[in-house]
C-alpha cells in the first residue's frame, strides 16, 4: 500500500505537490494562497459557514441547505439567489465531469450549454470557471456557500473554490470514492483527501475556519447506520490529523424513525468518543441529516411526503443541518421552483416540530445500543488491521470486506454485505459478508429478518432486497410481496 | 449466445462518468430472472467499451443506462459508432434520467430515437414489459433463418 | 328544557314527526322507507361504509377520505370519481345553505351555478337534488359514500340521503350546533339528532348497518382534547340509545405529536368505558383523525407539510380513518387535482409509517392520564346535572359553562374557556372558565403555561392566544413574539 | 361615534350563513388594540343587520367577512342596499375567502369592487395595514368640517 499513513503531510512535500496540482487545468494558475487568505478574511461574518454552524449548534437550531448547480456562472448566481430566502446555507453542486477531473468534457458541457441556452451539465464546473468565476459567484451571494460534489481527487477543486471564498468543502477519501468511482484505489483517494484536509488545516492555522463535511449517505440505498458511521469517524480522524477543526458528520435517512433518530444521536456520541480517544480536543463537531437518499416516488405530492418525513426525523433528532430534497427528485435536476418547494415544506415541518418534546423510547435506545456495538466492533478491527493507523486500517478493511458498502460501484469495495429491511422497516443485515460483528448482534439481525420472513411467508433472499430498493418509489417503506 | 442460439444475450452498463449503480444491479437481477443473459459492465462505461463487449459476446442488444443527466452528451452518435464498428443492426435501448431536469418524456424519446436508439425508457418503466419487448426485438433482428423459431422458453435457460 | 331526555323516541311519535319533516321541501315527497331499505339492501358490499370500517379495523388499516362537494349532480359525480382511485371511502360535503335548511337559497345557488358553468355553492345541495338525484350519484360511484355537513336540523337531509344509498352520516346534536350555528338552542338540535339517530336505528333493526360519525374537531382551533372527547362520548351515548350500532368517533389534530397520539388512544378507551358502563355492548367503535382543522398556510408546499404531519400522527396513533386536507386549504374549496395531491401525500406518509414500531413514551402516557382525568371530571358533573340523563346533562352543562368550546359561534356556548399552547405546543387551559377540572389538573395547566411565559418573557394573555391561532399559517406551531 | 367625534367606529360581521367565528374574534381583538371601536355582530349576519347596526351606531365603516365561499351570492347588491337605506357614503370593506376555490385575487377584487366595496382583502392581509387604511378612509369620508382635524391618537381612546 505504498506509503499511506495517517500522519500530517509534510510541509515541503505538500508545497511540491501543490505545484503539480495547480497544473491540472489552466485555471490552476489563478490560485495563490496569500490571496486566498485575503479573500477569506474579507468574508463578512454572515458568509462564513463555520459561524452559521456554530450559532445553530449553540441555539439548537436546524439549518436548511438545498442542492443546486448549473453550468454557467450567471445562471448559477441567479439560481442560488432564488434559493437563498428559503434556506440558511447555500450549496454549489459540482457537475459529474469535474468530479472525475474530466475538465475537457466539462468545458464542452459549458460551451454546449451556452449554445443551447440551458444547462446541459448536472452541476457547476467550478474548476473550469476558475478562481475568478467562483469569486464572482461568492460575491454575488449573501449566505455561506459550500462545495458539494463526489470527487475522488478534489485537490484542484479545493484549491480553486477555497481561494474564491467558499467556506465549506464536502467529501472525503472514502465517502467520495466508494459510492462515486469505479477504478480509483482507496489508498489513492485517501491520500488525495489528506491533501484537501491539509489545505483546510493551513487555512485554520492562518485563523480561517473552513468547515469540512464527510459525505454521510454513501450510496443512499439501504446503508446500515454503522457502515456510514464508521466511514464518518474514519474521515473525521483523517481530517483532524491534517489540522481540520470544524467538522460536520452526516447521516442519510434510512426510513425507520426509531433507527434514524438513534443513528443521528449515536453519531455525535461515537465521533466524540473516537476523536477524544485519539487525543483531539480542539474541534467543533456538528451533524447533518440527509433527507431520503434512495429512489424517490415520481409523483410530486408523494415526493413531498418523503421530504416531510425526513424533515420531521431530522428535527426530532436535532440535526444541526438538513440537506433538502425536492419534489422533482425522481425526475431530474430540479428547477428553482421545485427546489424552493422542498425547502418550504421542510421549513414548515421543522418549525412545527421544533418546540416539541424530545422524542425518546426504548426502541430508540435499543437501536443506539446495536449501532454502538457494531461501530466499536468494526473500528476495533480496522485499528488492528492498520496497527493503530486508521488510514492503513481503512484501506485494508475495505480490501478484506471488514468494511463493505452496499450497492457501491467501486472495485475497492467487496460488495458482499447485503442489507434488508426488517418487519418494521429498520435496516438489518441479510448477509454480513466479512464484517466482524459480534455474535449477539448477528443473532439480533437474524431474528429481526426471520420475523419479517414469517410475516411475508417467504424466505429472505435477494428478491426481498430488490423489493426494498424499489419500495419507497412504490409508496411503501418495506417491499412486501403483492 | 443470441448470435448462435435462441438465447437472449445483452450487454448492460451505465454510460459516461455516471456512477449510479443501484438501478444497474436491479436491472441485472430482474432481467436475469426474466430469462435474459446479462453481461453487466457496471457503471462508467464508454461507448467503445459497450461496443467491444457486444462484439466479443455476440450480444443481441446493448442496454444503455444514463441516470445522472449527461445522457444527451454521452450518447451522442452511439448508433453511428455501432455502424462504424460493424454493429449497425444491433438492438439499442436507452433508459434512466436521460436529460437534465424534469422534461416532457415525448420530447426526450424523440431526441434519443434520433440518435438511433430503438427504444427509450423512462425510470418508472415496468421491467416485465421491457423483457417482453427485448425478446421480440432481438428475435426480429436475428438472421432470417433463425427468426420465429423460438426454442425453449427463455426463462428455463437461466438459473 | 321542554321534555328532552335520553330515551329512545317513541315509534308513533317518530312516524308523526316524519310526516312533518318530509314536508320541509318538495323533494321530501320522494322518500319512502320501504324503498330506502331496498336501495340499501341492494348496495354491493364494496359500497357499504360499515363494512369498509370493520375491515380496516380488523386488519389495522387506515382509510383515507377527502372532503368534496359541488352544486350539480353530474359535476359532483365526476369529482368523486376523480378522487376515488386515491382514497378508500368517499364524502359528499353539503353546502352551507342546506346546512341551515335554507333550501330556497340553495336552489338559487344551483341555478346560478348552472348559468355560470361553475359551482357557486360550497357543497352538494342534497336535499334539493332529492332522492332521485342522490341515487344517481350513489349509483355512479364505486366506493362507500358518506354525508358530511354541519347541520343542526339534519332530519330531512338524513331521510333523503339514506334513502338514496349513502351508508354513513356525519354529525350530532352538539357537534353540529356549537361550531356551526348561532341561535339554535342546544335542546332543539339534540332532539333533532335523536331523530336522525333513530332513523339509523330503524335501518339497523331492518338489518342495514349505517355508520354514524359525530363531528370530532368542533371549531378546529385550539380545542383541548378533553372538550372534544366529552362531546364525542355524549353523542355516542345519545346515538346508541336510538339504536345506532356502528360509531366512528373523531378527533382533530392539535399539533403536538405526543398530545395528539394520546388523544386518539384515550378516545377509544374512554368511549368504550362510558358505552359499556351505560349498558351498551352491541356496537362497533372506530376512530377518525382529522388533519389540522385550523387556519392553514397559504403556500402549497407548506400546506402539504401540515398535511403530512397529520398523516404521520394519525397512523402512529392507528386511527381507522383520516380526513384529508388539501394544499388549497387556506385559499378555497380545492380543485380535483389539489384534493388528489392531499390524498397522495397522505397515502405516501401513511404507507411509510404503517409498518413501523408502535410509538410510546412517558410523555404520551402523561397526556393520556391528564385527558382521562379531565374527561371523567366533566362527565361526572354532566351526569350529575342531568340526574343521570346525558341529554339533559349536556344542555345544562353548556348553559352553565361546565362544557365550553373555544371560538364557538353558538349562543348556547358560554365561551369563557380559553386555551393556549404550552412551551412544547400542547394545548393547555389559560382560563378554565366554569369547567370543573380537578385542582391537580389545573395546577398542571398553570405550570405548563408559566413555563412558556417564562421562555417568552411575557405574561400569558389573550394576545398569546391570538398568536397561537395564527401560528401555523405563519409556519410555526407556537405563536412566539417576534 | 365617528359621526360626532374623531373616533373610528366600525361594524364587523360574517355575512350570510357563514359560521366561521375565529377570524372574527381575531379581527375584533386586533382592530380594537389598533384604536378602532368595533361593534361586532359575529357570524351569520344579513345585509340588513349590518346596515341597521351601522345606522344605529353611526359607524364610519362596515367590515364584511365572508369565509365559506358564498361571498359572491351573499354580497350581491350590498352597496345598492346601503344607498337605499341612506348609507350611500359609508366605507365598505370586504375580506376573507370571498369566492369558491382558489382564484386569481385581482379578478376577485375587481368583482367585489364592482359590487361597491371600497376595498377588498385577501385572508393573508397584514392587519396593521388594514387599520391604517381604515383610519384614513374614514377620515376622508367624514363631513368636510371634521376632516383632517385629527384629535387624540386613536390608540389612547380605546381600552
Ligand atoms: C442514489 C442516488 C445517488 C447516489 C448513487 C449511489 C450509487 N453509486 O449508486 C449518489 C449519492 C452517489 C448520487 C450521486 C449523484 N447524483 Co444521484 N441520485 C440518486 C437517486 C436518489 C436514486 C437513484 C437510484 O438508486 N434509484 C433506484 C434505482 C432502482 O432506480 P434507477 O436508478 O432510476 O434505475 C431504474 C430505472 O431508471 C430503469 N432504467 C435505468 N436504466 C435503464 C436502461 C434501460 C434500457 C431500461 C429499459 C431501464 C432503465 O430501470 C432501473 C431499475 O428499476 C436519484 C433520484 C431518484 N431516482 O430518486 C438521484 C439522481 C439520479 N442523481 C442525480 C445527480 C445529478 C447526481 C450527481 C451529479 C450529484 C447531484 N448533482 O445531485 C451525482 C452523480 C455523480 C456521478 N458521477 O454519477 C440526478 C440526475 C439528474 C438528471 N438526470 O436530471 C437525480 C435524478 C437526482 C435529481 N433529481 O437531481 N446519486
Ligand atoms: C376552522 C375552519 C372551519 C371550522 C369553523 C369553526 C368556526 N365556527 O369558526 C368548521 C370546521 C366548523 C368549518 C366549517 C365549514 N367550512 Co371551513 N374552514 C376552516 C379553516 C380551516 C380555518 C378558518 C380559520 O379559522 N382561520 C383562521 C382565521 C384567523 O383566519 P380567517 O378566517 O381567514 O380570517 C382572517 C382573514 O381572512 C382576514 N379577514 C377575514 N374577513 C375579513 C374582512 C376584512 C374587511 C378584512 C380586512 C380582513 C378579513 O382576517 C382574519 C383574521 O386574521 C378554513 C381554511 C383555512 N383558512 O385554512 C376553512 C374554510 C374557510 N372552510 C371552508 C368551508 C367550505 C367550510 C364548510 C362549508 C364545510 C366545507 N365544505 O368544508 C363549513 C361552513 C359551514 C358554514 N355554515 O359556514 C372553505 C371555504 C371555501 C372557499 N371560500 O372557497 C375553507 C377555505 C376551506 C377550504 N379550502 O375548502 N370550517
Amino acid at each position: 500500500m505504498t506509503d499511506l499513513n495517517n500522519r500530517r503531510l509534510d510541509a515541503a512535500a505538500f508545497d511540491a505537490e501543490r505545484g503539480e496540482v495547480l497544473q491540472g487545468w489552466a485555471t490552476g494558475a489563478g490560485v495563490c494562497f496569500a490571496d486566498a487568505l485575503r479573500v477569506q478574511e474579507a468574508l463578512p461574518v454572515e458568509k462564513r459557514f463555520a459561524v452559521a454552524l456554530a450559532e445553530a449548534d449553540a441555539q439548537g437550531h436546524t439549518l436548511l441547505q438545498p442542492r443546486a448547480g448549473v453550468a454557467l456562472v450567471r445562471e448559477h448566481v441567479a439560481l442560488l439567489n432564488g434559493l437563498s430566502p428559503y434556506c440558511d446555507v447555500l450549496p454549489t453542486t459540482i457537475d459529474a465531469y469535474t468530479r472525475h477531473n474530466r475538465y475537457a468534457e466539462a468545458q464542452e458541457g459549458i460551451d454546449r450549454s451556452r449554445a443551447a441556452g440551458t444547462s446541459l451539465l448536472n452541476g457547476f464546473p467550478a474548476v473550469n470557471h476558475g478562481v475568478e468565476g467562483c469569486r464572482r459567484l461568492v460575491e454575488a451571494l449573501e449566505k455561506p456557500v459550500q462545495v458539494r460534489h463526489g470527487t475522488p481527487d478534489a485537490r484542484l477543486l479545493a484549491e480553486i473554490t477555497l481561494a474564491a471564498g467558499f467556506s465549506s468543502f464536502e467529501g472525503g477519501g472514502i465517502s467520495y470514492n466508494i459510492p462515486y468511482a469505479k477504478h480509483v484505489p482507496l489508498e489513492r483517494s485517501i491520500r488525495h483527501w489528506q491533501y484537501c484536509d491539509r489545505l483546510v488545516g493551513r487555512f485554520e492555522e492562518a485563523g480561517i475556519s473552513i468547515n469540512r463535511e464527510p459525505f454521510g449517505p454513501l450510496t443512499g440505498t439501504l446503508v446500515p447506520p454503522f457502515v456510514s458511521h464508521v466511514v464518518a469517524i474514519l474521515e473525521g480522524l483523517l481530517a483532524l490529523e491534517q489540522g481540520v477543526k470544524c467538522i460536520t458528520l452526516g447521516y442519510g435517512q434510512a426510513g425507520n424513525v426509531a433507527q434514524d433518530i438513534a443513528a443521528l444521536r449515536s453519531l455525535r456520541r461515537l465521533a466524540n468518543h473516537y476523536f477524544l480517544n485519539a487525543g483531539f480536543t480542539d474541534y467543533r463537531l456538528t451533524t447533518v441529516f440527509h433527507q431520503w437518499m434512495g429512489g424517490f416516488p415520481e409523483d410530486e405530492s408523494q415526493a413531498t411526503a418523503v421530504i416531510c418525513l425526513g424533515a420531521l426525523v431530522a428535527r426530532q433528532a436535532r440535526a444541526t443541518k438538513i440537506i433538502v430534497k425536492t419534489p422533482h427528485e425522481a425526475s431530474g435536476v430540479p428547477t428553482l421552483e421545485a427546489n424552493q418547494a422542498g425547502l418550504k415544506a421542510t421549513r414548515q415541518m421543522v418549525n412545527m416540530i421544533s418546540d416539541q418534546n424530545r422524542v425518546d423510547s426504548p426502541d430508540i435506545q435499543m437501536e443506539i445500543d446495536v449501532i454502538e456495538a457494531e461501530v466499536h466492533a468494526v473500528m476495533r478491527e480496522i485499528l488492528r488491521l492498520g496497527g493503530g493507523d486508521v488510514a492503513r486500517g481503512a484501506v485494508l478493511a475495505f480490501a478484506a470486506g471488514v468494511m463493505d458498502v452496499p450497492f457501491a460501484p467501486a472495485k475497492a469495495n467487496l460488495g458482499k454485505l447485503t442489507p434488508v429491511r426488517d418487519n418494521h422497516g429498520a435496516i438489518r443485515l441479510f448477509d454480513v459478508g466479512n464484517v466482524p460483528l459480534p455474535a449477539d448482534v448477528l443473532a439480533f439481525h437474524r431474528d429481526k429478518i426471520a420475523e419479517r420472513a414469517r410475516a411475508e411467508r417467504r424466505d429472505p433472499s435477494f428478491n426481498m432486497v430488490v423489493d426494498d430498493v424499489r419500495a419507497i418509489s412504490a409508496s411503501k417503506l418495506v417491499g412486501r410481496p403483492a | 449466445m443470441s448470435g448462435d442460439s435462441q438465447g437472449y444475450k445483452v450487454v448492460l452498463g451505465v454510460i459516461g462518468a455516471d456512477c449510479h449503480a443501484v438501478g444497474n444491479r436491479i436491472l441485472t437481477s430482474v432481467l436475469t430472472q426474466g430469462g435474459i443473459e446479462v453481461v453487466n459492465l457496471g457503471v462508467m462505461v464508454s461507448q467503445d467499451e459497450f461496443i467491444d463487449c457486444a462484439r466479443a459476446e455476440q450480444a443481441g442488444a446493448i442496454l444503455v443506462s444514463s441516470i445522472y443527466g449527461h445522457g444527451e452528451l454521452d450518447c451522442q452518435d452511439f448508433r453511428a459508432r455501432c455502424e462504424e464498428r460493424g454493429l449497425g443492426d444491433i438492438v439499442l435501448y436507452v433508459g434512466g434520467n436521460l436529460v437534465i431536469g424534469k422534461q416532457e418524456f415525448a420530447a426526450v424519446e424523440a431526441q434519443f430515437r434520433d440518435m438511433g436508439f430503438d427504444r427509450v425508457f423512462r425510470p418508472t418503466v415496468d421491467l416485465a414489459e421491457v423483457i417482453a419487448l427485448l425478446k421480440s426485438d432481438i428475435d426480429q433482428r436475428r438472421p432470417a433463418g433463425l427468426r420465429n423459431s423460438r426454442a425453449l422458453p427463455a426463462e428455463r435457460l437461466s438459473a
Side-chain angles (χ1 to χ4, degrees), chain A, chain B:
Chain A
M1 154 173 22
T2 70
D3 53 354
L4 180 72
N5 58 36
N6 182 28
R7 282 277 175 74
R8 184 169 291 205
L9 299 188
D10 166 84
F14 180 84
D15 287 331
E17 183 171 343
R18 168 175 250 165
E20 279 169 45
V21 165
L22 297 184
Q23 280 166 36
W25 188 251
T27 50
V31 176
C32 156
F33 191 63
D35 289 351
L37 284 180
R38 270 191 292 278
V39 167
Q40 290 282 352
E41 268 157 15
L43 277 187
V45 65
E46 68 274 13
K47 287 204 204 182
R48 297 182 182 213
F49 224 96
V51 172
L53 287 165
E55 281 178 1
D57 196 36
Q59 290 158 26
H61 289 163
T62 298
L63 305 174
L64 307 195
Q65 185 178 25
R67 287 187 181 75
V70 288
L72 308 178
V73 177
R74 203 169 49 172
E75 282 71 13
H76 189 52
V77 167
L79 176 59
L80 293 190
N81 280 331
L83 292 169
S84 195
Y86 301 93
C87 67
D88 302 296
V89 286
L90 290 166
T92 284
T93 303
I94 304 298
D95 73 289
Y97 292 136
T98 301
R99 292 165 185 230
H100 293 285
N101 314 101
R102 286 150 76 155
Y103 308 119
E105 278 163 275
Q107 192 57 49
E108 199 187 320
I110 293 175
D111 298 342
R112 294 194 47 189
S113 297
R114 248 186 215 121
T118 171
S119 179
L120 296 177
L121 290 178
N122 55 17
F124 179 79
V127 169
N128 293 60
H129 290 306
V131 178
E132 189 268 328
C134 290
R135 277 197 65 174
R136 260 190 293 140
L137 169 65
V138 174
E139 268 162 24
L141 306 176
E142 281 165 8
K143 293 192 169 155
V145 57
Q146 179 189 39
V147 189
R148 302 189 65 84
H149 45 133
T151 312
D153 176 3
R155 294 172 298 170
L156 181 56
L157 181 64
E159 289 282 7
I160 285 177
T161 52
L162 297 185
F166 281 82
S167 52
S168 174
F169 200 74
E170 199 197 25
I174 305 165
S175 64
Y176 268 7
N177 176 341
I178 303 297
Y180 282 99
K182 190 172 179 180
H183 294 299
V184 179
L186 195 54
E187 50 270 48
R188 195 200 296 164
S189 58
I190 290 180
R191 178 59 186 69
H192 286 160
W193 274 89
Q194 287 179 319
Y195 180 98
C196 297
D197 284 329
R198 186 69 205 107
L199 178 61
V200 169
R202 288 204 167 185
F203 278 101
E204 289 282 355
E205 286 143 26
I208 299 294
S209 189
I210 302 281
N211 173 244
R212 280 277 294 113
E213 178 184 330
F215 177 63
L218 303 176
T219 52
T221 305
L222 297 177
V223 179
F226 84 87
V227 172
S228 48
H229 281 19
V230 168
V231 173
I233 291 164
L234 293 174
E235 295 192 350
L237 289 168
L238 291 165
L240 287 166
E241 182 66 33
Q242 302 301 327
V244 169
K245 302 278 180 210
C246 176
I247 298 189
T248 306
L249 295 186
Y251 171 73
Q253 181 183 15
N256 176 280
V257 173
Q259 190 175 42
D260 283 332
I261 293 175
L264 205 75
R265 290 210 181 127
S266 62
L267 177 55
R268 201 184 257 260
R269 204 166 110 169
L270 286 163
N272 277 323
H273 170 85
Y274 283 97
F275 295 174
L276 294 171
N277 263 10
F280 299 104
T281 50
D282 175 23
Y283 63 87
R284 294 165 307 283
L285 178 65
T286 47
T287 58
V288 52
F289 183 96
H290 291 251
Q291 289 174 344
W292 186 255
M293 285 293 290
F296 255 66
E298 199 196 18
D299 177 82
E300 298 192 15
S301 305
Q302 292 176 240
T304 306
V306 176
I307 288 170
C308 286
L309 182 60
L312 172 120
V313 171
R315 183 60 200 168
Q316 286 187 335
R318 295 289 184 268
T320 322
K321 186 173 83 170
I322 306 178
I323 304 294
V324 174
K325 290 260 171 161
T326 84
H328 281 187
E329 179 63 12
S331 309
V333 171
T335 57
L336 169 62
E337 293 70 26
N339 222 330
Q340 290 169 340
L343 288 165
K344 286 188 287 186
T346 300
R347 179 79 73 194
Q348 177 79 24
M349 183 61 91
V350 165
N351 283 351
M352 290 189 297
I353 296 300
S354 264
D355 297 322
Q356 299 207 17
N357 330 46
R358 180 184 158 92
V359 173
D360 235 327
S361 73
D363 286 324
I364 294 175
Q365 196 47 56
M366 188 209 57
E367 298 290 352
I368 290 180
D369 293 344
V370 172
I371 294 168
E372 292 193 349
E374 293 167 335
V375 168
H376 290 315
V378 178
M379 282 300 294
R380 203 175 304 125
E381 182 62 9
I382 291 173
L383 288 166
R384 201 191 60 75
L385 285 170
D389 185 296
V390 291
R392 302 175 73 85
V395 174
L396 293 168
F398 270 95
V402 162
M403 261 302 282
D404 201 348
V405 176
F407 298 102
K411 302 276 186 231
N413 189 68
L414 187 63
K416 274 184 72 176
L417 175 137
T418 312
V420 75
R421 291 194 187 279
D422 72 13
N423 209 37
H424 293 305
I427 296 178
R428 308 296 175 200
L429 297 176
F430 167 54
D431 183 346
V432 72
N434 299 349
V435 181
L437 297 188
D440 59 338
V441 169
L442 289 179
F444 170 81
H445 284 279
R446 238 186 342 262
D447 291 350
K448 286 288 186 185
I449 295 173
E451 183 189 351
R452 169 173 175 191
R454 277 195 305 280
E456 293 178 6
R457 297 162 201 274
R458 59 168 174 170
D459 287 335
S461 73
F462 192 69
N463 281 337
M464 214 181 235
V465 183
V466 170
D467 291 344
D468 283 349
V469 168
R470 303 163 89 189
I472 284 265
S473 315
S475 170
K476 300 277 160 66
L477 179 60
V478 182
R480 313 266 190 205
Chain B
M1 286 265 285
S2 59
D4 50 48
S5 95
Q6 289 303 92
Y8 301 94
K9 189 181 203 174
V10 304
V11 173
L12 176 72
V14 187
I15 198 166
D18 193 336
C19 73
H20 289 90
V22 182
N24 177 268
R25 288 283 292 280
I26 303 295
L27 279 170
T28 304
S29 165
V30 176
L31 295 183
T32 305
Q33 289 192 38
I36 294 185
E37 190 186 340
V38 177
V39 184
N40 185 12
L41 299 175
V43 305
M44 300 180 68
V45 181
S46 68
Q47 293 194 2
D48 279 338
E49 284 174 273
F50 274 110
I51 295 169
D52 290 345
C53 177
R55 284 166 52 111
E57 299 277 351
Q58 301 201 310
I62 296 177
L63 272 55
V64 177
S65 291
S66 177
I67 311 291
Y68 72 157
H70 292 182
E72 222 169 320
L73 300 168
D74 296 334
C75 294
Q76 207 58 32
D77 303 322
F78 200 121
R79 171 69 73 187
R81 191 104 191 106
C82 288
E83 280 163 5
E84 273 172 31
R85 309 276 313 274
L87 276 183
D89 244 17
I90 196 165
V91 174
L92 268 189
Y93 282 11
V94 67
N97 300 85
L98 295 171
V99 293
I100 296 286
K102 186 167 185 166
Q103 299 187 22
E104 265 304 321
F105 183 70
V108 175
E109 187 177 17
Q111 189 182 356
F112 280 79
R113 289 185 69 103
D114 274 357
M115 295 185 200
F117 288 94
D118 295 300
R119 296 189 192 273
V120 185
F121 299 93
R122 52 178 106 217
T124 50
V125 59
D126 178 353
L127 298 181
E129 266 173 41
V130 174
I131 291 170
L133 288 169
L134 195 51
K135 290 180 179 175
S136 101
D137 285 348
I138 292 178
D139 281 339
Q140 292 295 317
R141 297 268 173 94
R142 285 184 208 282
L146 294 168
R147 226 178 261 168
N148 298 329
S149 62
R150 287 261 197 115
L152 286 173
E155 284 72 11
R156 303 230 189 109
L157 293 174
S158 81

